[in-house]
Amino acid sequence: MPPGPRACPAFFGRLLKTGIPTNIVTYSSLFKCLCDMKRTDEALDVLLHRMSDDLANVISYSVILKSFCDNGRSQLALDLLQMMAKKGADHSPGVVSYNLVIDGLFKEGEVSKACDLFHEMIRQGVVPDEVTYSYIINALCKAGAMDKAELIVRQMVHNGVQPHNRIYNTLIHGYLTLGQLKEAFRLLKVMRSQGVMPNVVTCNSVMDYFCKNGRIKEAEEIFYSMTVNDRKPSIVSYSTMVHGYAIEGSLVDMIDLCELMARDGVVPDLHCFCILISAYAKYGMMDVAMLFFEDMLKQG
């Protein structure tokens, strides 16, 4: 029986003492084991001080980079990435390594450092991919810097990377969050002109905007057009419409939509149940609210 995760480092130590040759697969298994146990510092020590430079590769570094980022230690990941770049061609970080650290920095709110690293990777001759661009664009949209986000999209296209749904959805959501419906619809036209069709996520964003701004009929048009265009509404789509009806006080429409959900085999999630219970409680219909509460418990 192979050693368990906690026995792995000790087992590796005994293996080294036997003189049996080790290879990159052996080390990669050790690094993964240590990182899974949140002993990333030990993995880094082995990589830097017990593993020969000719054996270490970018994959070994990436395991440790990811572990640092996953555990909120992106500054250490950034330091390691910069160390890799200084070691020369054999250890130069690629786009995957940069993506790991950029994403980690953004998640920790280090927007300036992440953007600096993005520009640094370009200076180092590493070509960003769609994942890299999506991280940058998402951060800019969250900050409301839509002009800068669109500038990055233009740079992305210039570099031969075609934006897909995820990029456009992020931009559209950004404009809708700022209440700039005209700009959101402009992007919808751009999407279609480039052969990128709006998906369920796109529709949900626009529906959510309409529902929150008292334009329930326009939200309905989008919702019911989804099935015509072979875009099956998701639980998020249904929850968005249920919330819109709840805001309007349209309880009959809300029940009709719940029946449609049942016919389509879409099971309400916790969020959807909470909207229903809250809506009926608000209008003093506690008996109906309790029925939904009991149904929620039955659904697990």
Side-chain angles (χ1 to χ4, degrees), residues 120-137:
E120 177 63 24
M121 73 180 285
I122 295 173
R123 284 195 295 271
Q124 293 291 339
V126 180
V127 180
D129 60 10
E130 193 199 352
V131 175
T132 324
Y133 285 115
S134 69
Y135 290 151
I136 301 294
I137 292 166

Side-chain angles (χ1 to χ4, degrees), residues 78-116:
L78 179 59
D79 293 342
L80 180 58
L81 190 76
Q82 292 168 341
M83 185 186 301
M84 290 171 67
K86 291 177 181 177
K87 276 181 170 284
D90 291 340
H91 301 87
S92 292
V95 65
V96 173
S97 299
Y98 277 104
N99 286 348
L100 285 169
V101 183
I102 288 172
D103 183 41
L105 289 168
F106 275 133
K107 285 178 178 175
E108 292 178 39
E110 298 285 0
V111 177
S112 178
K113 288 183 180 179
C115 290
D116 288 345

Side-chain angles (χ1 to χ4, degrees), residues 186-215:
R186 175 183 61 81
L187 278 177
L188 281 168
K189 289 181 181 179
V190 172
M191 281 180 74
R192 293 190 180 97
S193 70
Q194 295 185 356
V196 183
M197 295 308 297
N199 59 12
V200 174
V201 176
T202 322
C203 295
N204 289 346
S205 291
V206 181
M207 283 162 48
D208 183 62
Y209 174 85
F210 283 140
C211 287
K212 287 178 178 176
N213 288 275
R215 299 167 67 171

Side-chain angles (χ1 to χ4, degrees), residues 127-294:
V127 180
D129 60 10
E130 193 199 352
V131 175
T132 324
Y133 285 115
S134 69
Y135 290 151
I136 301 294
I137 292 166
N138 184 55
L140 291 171
C141 288
K142 283 183 177 178
M146 300 307 300
D147 290 343
K148 291 181 180 178
E150 289 220 44
L151 183 64
I152 294 294
V153 173
R154 289 194 288 273
Q155 179 183 333
M156 178 180 180
V157 173
H158 178 75
N159 290 334
V161 182
Q162 178 62 40
H164 294 295
N165 287 100
R166 180 171 53 183
I167 299 291
Y168 282 114
N169 288 342
T170 300
L171 289 163
I172 289 168
H173 180 73
Y175 277 122
L176 292 174
T177 300
L178 296 173
Q180 298 180 20
L181 184 63
K182 183 179 178 181
E183 293 299 317
F185 275 100
R186 175 183 61 81
L187 278 177
L188 281 168
K189 289 181 181 179
V190 172
M191 281 180 74
R192 293 190 180 97
S193 70
Q194 295 185 356
V196 183
M197 295 308 297
N199 59 12
V200 174
V201 176
T202 322
C203 295
N204 289 346
S205 291
V206 181
M207 283 162 48
D208 183 62
Y209 174 85
F210 283 140
C211 287
K212 287 178 178 176
N213 288 275
R215 299 167 67 171
I216 192 71
K217 294 301 179 185
E218 289 164 282
E220 278 182 342
E221 289 177 14
I222 294 174
F223 179 82
Y224 288 106
S225 71
M226 289 168 71
T227 51
V228 176
N229 294 307
D230 295 324
R231 291 190 292 266
K232 186 177 179 180
S234 66
I235 182 57
V236 176
S237 312
Y238 280 102
S239 295
T240 299
M241 288 303 303
V242 167
H243 190 228
Y245 287 134
I247 293 172
E248 294 280 308
S250 305
L251 302 186
V252 174
D253 290 326
M254 198 162 65
I255 287 299
D256 289 343
L257 189 64
C258 288
E259 290 175 354
L260 178 62
M261 283 179 69
R263 289 198 298 272
D264 286 348
V266 178
V267 180
D269 60 6
L270 179 62
H271 177 60
C272 189
F273 272 118
C274 286
I275 295 170
L276 290 165
I277 293 166
S278 177
Y280 282 103
K282 177 182 177 182
Y283 290 98
M285 301 172 67
M286 290 305 300
D287 52 341
V288 182
M290 286 305 299
L291 286 174
F292 277 113
F293 179 72
E294 290 167 5

